[in-house]
């Protein structure tokens, strides 16, 4: 469960509702069915049009990805990989075979399986880079999905407002009904802009942030695989893997290392 | 026939019409000839100006591409290619000659024809990469076509609205006719923004999505051709080709493989 | 003469004028001197400021380029080049000397002259790539010129409208004159947006499209020059040159080849 | 303490307040609680949603980075590095070991430690390039943080204004209260646009400028490390390191050199 | 003195003033102190915030660069370089030593000094490429400076207008004063948009154009230095240097060559 995603959304919407209540407004005044149908339905329709059937089926997993953030501990992964490097160097690469069963990440599993199978280093690097590129592509599609939602949503809000204004202007009967009619028309804009800026676009950013973390982990794994197979010294391997971790996060890793 | 394209468009326009009806409006109020002439005709004119005569002739095929989506089954293609790799390794590459007749994709056909003709691997890769680049260029032109429609359409809507407002303001006779005249002026904006966001831009996205799929297939074919010609082991070839398929879609392929 | 440029412009402006007439408006109401001075003069001034004196002198040739489109026949050029490859291989590269006189394209001429002069392949490729890069830069400047016109034009329209509104608001005498004064102010916006979207930006697109065609032709020539000098078989050369042509246009070329 | 950051902010906000006072306005009229809650709280919420918990914790250091600018003296660093190159060439690379203790920059320290440890040049370059890439990524995240604040802030201002207008229009009682209500609604837009353009986006630019300086320093260090380890002549090393300094700043460095 | 910069600015502002006078307006009506303070001061403050103290000191030289355009004659430079190549080939590279004193461009001077000093070609190329990259970075900063001015200026205009409208709406006393107050508020928008589009952004374009010219010259010098040091034939050198000049400008160079 991603604390920052949930917390950020609560803060953003809390501030919006708080601002309305502080002004003496009632939330009820901002609830309307027809703008909701247009903005939410229209946006999903527009985004769906650009996707394949498989893409549409993967929408729930896009939301799960940003809300159910996996815990990624780069330092722990580096420690595990370096330990495997030590063992591989001392007892031979085949002794890693037992560890492969325990690996849950399919990317890392495939890599070590190929190592143990004796695939040569160039081919190993090539295959793992292809896997990396495919993963990256998949993450980019996820970010793109939320970005498209965030892009179409405000324009559908504007369409709703223009429709409402045309409807009102074409049926001017008395000046008194004008105010509420314009208010109604603006609700569509409010829905479109709010949901884009307080849900879709922040989730697109989250999707990008999480993907960068995952890809960094994969990059470290590729680097380690190549190092292990070419028999680099574990100490040098650790030095080169730690380069991928930000300096201030790395310090803690060194403390951990000292305890070990 | 592309279900998601049709379905998405129906959903988007259904929501727009539904929202109007929910508000007690009539669709008739939003139908007008002059904004339609300006927005649709003007947009096509502006886009045509930037194209060559050949480009204009290919417009129907651009629409066909996004609506008549070909079924692409990466796993099946990989299976076919691996099977050919097995045969080529066992019986020699010339035994693939009979298969070439059956291949319908001209890209794949040209590649295997060159393999059988004994063109060397570097030249083969170079030619197929050129073919790939030309295909990619063609797909990009298609996406660009829809993006340009989506870019000019809202500005033509704004031109229509400004024209309408100038016309109204220059002929102010009675305040009563102002409302319907402004309503009329806004119809152009509504047309321009709606069609851009609920037709053109979603189709541009669809065009991009389908092109990515097609190009991924071509990428797999190039990889397989080079592998087959250089005599890579079929098992390693399968491993490296499957890297191009997303992990969750790949699992199904493995089930298929077990059945086989 | 470019049919699609002229046709597109006629269609776009025809629709604009048609829409005005359909609405019962008169074109006269949209003609005014001061917004025209501001929008057209101001836009040219803003673009000129960013150019060198040589760049300003080349403006007429920028317009000539988009309206006087040269006919480019990739298939015919490929046929000519392959024929020269056949002759060069049979009778020696020096026999091409007579053909050089007949070549009108200075790019192709320079290339074949260097071939005949016996410049080695690496140097030939390097020089022709430099020529290509300079040509590309020149085309990009042309596209950039129209894009800048299209970028400054709407903002100058807005400046005109704001100037008009300030003038009107500061001199409010009677409410009756307000309508025509606002109408007058909006004419500047209309000029700026219309000319940008129905002239400048479409011409920028056209400039880009034509440049891509020309550069594709140059790319084919470079490929052929290198092939001819290194003595590649004409059949393989044709195969690799045809990769640059879109598949559906290529078929016609093969018909031509059969007639020959 | 960064003089230009503080000075720029004072100048920008001084001009804004000065303009209000010159117009006879009172700052009190522009202070309101509910738009502040919506714009500042909502913007932070939206940005937080896209970050990880670690990212949120590093927000104070993002602000510290732009306000507490470190003094970077490229010429002094180059002088130090060249002096080390002289010593390393004369007395052997191991004599640099004592200097390492005095180095405060962890990037430079790690590099020289690896030099002294006898890591070979290729590996040294690879590790330092990874460190550089990680640092660059970290700086980019900092810039991105301020850019996102600057991107969400104006849209939240617009949401506030639309909310205010809907509230006002739905409760039209008397025309007299309309003016102040619209004024109130516009305060949200003013907050959003002002803070974005006079705080967040300038800080994003500052963050980028400072990061470029830091990265240039790191680039010089990498270049020097490789030069020292491969035993380049100190004079040539100085010539190649000075290339990274702008010409007009370099002259002063030469004066310094003469004094030394 | 750059004729096209001065001429373009005169044309743009002449058209703006001309349009106002044609409409019967007075320039006096558009002059106001408080919007000027906000727009000009605020924009400079916002840009300053993002710069270092050194960057702020270099602002005058940024303006000097775009107004005091150096005359660049590519053909003359190529002629000089080829002449030096002839001499170097005939009498040895050391005979160039006397010419170095006469070279005013520090970039070219450093290059030839290194040639004469006998630095090897790879190192020479590496150092000159670093110098080129630093120059390019400096020019990009100059362009960026004007672009930032052009980016902040319109938003500060909008802030001024929103401030003015809030001030007016909060103090509605009589309807008569509304017109001039709104007019006053719009003056800020007019200042912000005009100065951005008729000064800052055109100067950004100019800065880019001039930088491209300077960098092209530097590119030619690098190419010539490498050619001279590796002893390329002067005729081939001229052919490869002329590739960097646009074809229609190159013809004149050949006339010059014939005279020589």
């Amino acid at each position: 469960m991603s604390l920052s995603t949930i917390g950020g959304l609560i803060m953003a919407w809390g501030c919006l509702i708080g601002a309305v209540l502080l002004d003496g407004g009632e939330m009820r005044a901002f609830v309307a069915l027809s703008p909701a149908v247009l903005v939410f339905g229209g946006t999903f329709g527009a985004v769906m049009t650009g996707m394949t059937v498989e893409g549409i089926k993967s929408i729930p997993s896009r939301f799960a990805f940003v809300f159910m953030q996996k815990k990624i501990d780069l330092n722990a992964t580096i420690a595990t990989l370096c330990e495997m490097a030590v063992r591989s160097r001392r007892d031979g690469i085949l002794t890693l075979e037992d560890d492969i069963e325990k690996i849950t990440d399919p990317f890392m599993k495939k890599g070590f399986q190929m190592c143990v199978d004796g695939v040569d280093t160039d081919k190993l690097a090539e295959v793992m880079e292809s896997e990396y590129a495919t993963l990256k592509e998949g993450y980019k599609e996820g970010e793109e999905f939320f970005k498209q939602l965030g892009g179409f949503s405000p324009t559908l809000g504007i369409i709703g407002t223009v429709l409402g204004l045309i409807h009102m202007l074409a049926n001017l009967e008395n000046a008194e009904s004008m105010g509420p009619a314009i208010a109604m028309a603006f609700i569509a804009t409010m829905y479109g802009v709010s949901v884009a800026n307080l849900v879709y676009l922040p989730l697109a950013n989250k999707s990008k942030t999480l993907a960068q973390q995952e890809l960094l982990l994969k990059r470290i794994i590729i680097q380690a695989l190549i190092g292990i197979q070419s028999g680099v010294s574990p100490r040098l391997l650790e030095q080169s893997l730690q380069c991928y971790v930000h300096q201030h996060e790395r310090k803690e890793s060194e403390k951990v290392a000292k305890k070990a």
Side-chain angles (χ1 to χ4, degrees), chain A residues 18-259:
Chain A
V20 169
L21 298 181
L22 273 173
D23 261 0
E26 295 172 51
M27 287 314 292
R28 222 176 19 166
F30 299 100
V31 176
L33 182 60
S34 74
V37 166
L38 176 60
V39 170
F40 299 112
T43 301
F44 265 91
V47 174
M48 260 177 67
T49 307
M51 297 169 90
T52 58
V53 175
E54 288 74 34
I56 294 168
K57 281 182 195 154
S58 72
I59 290 177
S61 75
R62 301 294 184 203
F63 280 95
F65 180 63
V66 287
F67 283 103
M68 312 295 188
Q69 180 184 350
K70 273 196 288 179
K71 182 82 198 144
I72 288 187
D73 187 344
L74 295 181
N75 292 315
T77 307
I78 291 174
T80 309
L81 290 165
C82 288
E83 199 197 318
M84 289 172 88
V86 171
R87 206 127 38 77
S88 158
R89 233 192 170 198
R90 206 181 43 205
D91 310 324
I93 206 165
L94 290 179
T95 58
L96 299 179
E97 189 130 39
D98 301 339
D99 298 75
I100 295 172
E101 293 306 301
K102 289 177 232 150
I103 298 171
T104 50
D105 178 23
F107 182 88
M108 196 165 158
K109 197 166 197 161
K110 177 163 187 174
F112 275 103
Q113 189 61 56
M114 288 180 82
C115 264
V116 169
D117 289 355
V119 174
D120 67 278
T121 311
D122 282 1
K123 196 71 202 172
L124 174 66
E126 190 196 311
V127 168
M128 296 316 284
E129 288 293 346
S130 287
E131 289 276 356
Y132 182 88
T134 301
L135 273 174
K136 194 174 178 178
E137 192 56 43
Y139 289 133
K140 226 184 77 189
E141 278 171 25
E143 191 195 334
E144 206 53 43
F145 167 69
F146 288 113
K147 265 195 184 164
Q148 284 188 16
L149 285 177
F152 282 116
S153 184
T155 53
L156 274 150
I158 289 168
I159 292 174
T161 297
V162 173
L163 283 174
L165 292 177
I166 293 172
H167 184 53
M168 180 209 73
L169 288 163
N171 301 288
L172 278 182
E173 288 129 33
N174 53 347
E176 275 165 41
S177 71
M178 251 183 88
I182 300 178
M184 191 69 184
F186 272 110
I187 285 179
T189 291
M190 191 204 74
Y191 281 5
V193 179
S194 303
V195 174
N197 286 285
L198 302 182
V199 179
Y200 299 144
L201 295 177
L203 291 187
N205 286 338
K206 184 71 175 208
S207 193
K208 190 180 175 189
T209 305
L210 294 180
Q212 279 176 337
Q213 275 199 340
E214 289 271 0
L215 289 171
L216 189 60
L217 189 77
K218 290 343 187 211
R219 176 64 47 220
I220 287 173
I221 292 171
I222 293 178
Q223 195 79 358
L225 279 168
I226 294 170
I228 288 174
Q229 219 198 24
S230 56
V232 167
S233 101
R235 179 139 183 270
L236 204 55
L237 184 67
E238 191 178 24
Q239 264 184 330
S240 70
L241 295 185
Q242 280 189 342
C243 294
Y244 292 104
V245 188
H246 285 306
Q247 218 140 38
H248 55 275
E249 295 171 21
R250 203 185 300 172
K251 277 173 199 154
E252 297 174 33
S253 136
E254 286 166 355
K255 280 180 213 157
V256 172
K258 276 165 199 161
K259 281 181 203 164

